[in-house]
Amino acid sequence: DVQLQASGGGLVPAGGSLRLSCVASGFTFDDYMMGWFRQAPGKRPEGVACISSREGTIYPRDSVKGRFTISSDNAKNTVYLEMNSLKPEDTAVYFCGADDAIGVRIGGCPYEYDYRGQGTLVTVSS
């Protein structure tokens, strides 16, 4: 049974930092591309970052480059998203996903993930 458990969201002031974690189980972690995407109220989901052993790290959105860092610990089946210099426009529910990386990509990250977690809310106050 595939599970992706995301955590680490919260309320932070603009300029603050958060570290999201996603623990995966039920599949071979190394075989999948892992990633984070977010959905703000009333908006479509958008990819934030993805990572795989084969392709490294990818950041499809210029707005997070230099501020967000995705990493993974294969021994712990965990993917992280370090978010610095947060802005109010980063406010969204953040989801982690796992994908076989065969399907459609947007900016290099999967358009839709094969598996996704329940999401964790990030709120950045101005």
Side-chain angles (χ1 to χ4, degrees), residues 17-41:
S17 298
L18 279 175
R19 188 194 197 203
L20 306 183
S21 300
C22 175
V23 180
S25 62
F27 62 97
T28 304
F29 189 81
D30 293 358
D31 289 347
Y32 280 74
M33 172 170 274
M34 302 298 296
W36 292 91
F37 62 99
R38 65 189 182 186
Q39 187 167 20

Side-chain angles (χ1 to χ4, degrees), residues 3-74:
Q3 291 192 354
L4 295 168
Q5 186 69 39
S7 62
L11 172 64
V12 294
S17 298
L18 279 175
R19 188 194 197 203
L20 306 183
S21 300
C22 175
V23 180
S25 62
F27 62 97
T28 304
F29 189 81
D30 293 358
D31 289 347
Y32 280 74
M33 172 170 274
M34 302 298 296
W36 292 91
F37 62 99
R38 65 189 182 186
Q39 187 167 20
K43 295 189 177 181
R44 299 172 64 88
E46 58 183 31
V48 174
C50 56
I51 185 171
S52 73
S53 57
R54 182 175 180 178
E55 300 182 45
T57 60
I58 301 171
Y59 300 93
R61 310 194 67 80
D62 289 341
S63 62
V64 307
K65 290 178 181 177
R67 299 190 299 122
F68 290 11
T69 303
I70 188 171
S71 62
S72 66
D73 185 336
N74 290 1

Side-chain angles (χ1 to χ4, degrees), residues 58-120:
I58 301 171
Y59 300 93
R61 310 194 67 80
D62 289 341
S63 62
V64 307
K65 290 178 181 177
R67 299 190 299 122
F68 290 11
T69 303
I70 188 171
S71 62
S72 66
D73 185 336
N74 290 1
K76 296 182 179 180
N77 285 2
T78 301
V79 60
Y80 305 96
L81 185 68
E82 184 77 34
M83 304 185 294
N84 298 312
S85 302
L86 282 161
K87 304 175 181 180
E89 51 264 42
D90 294 319
T91 295
V93 178
Y94 283 71
F95 300 87
C96 66
D99 192 80
D100 62 11
I102 295 175
V104 176
R105 307 276 194 100
I106 298 293
C109 289
Y111 174 64
E112 287 185 333
Y113 286 83
D114 295 328
Y115 307 109
R116 56 182 277 178
Q118 85 289 357
T120 184

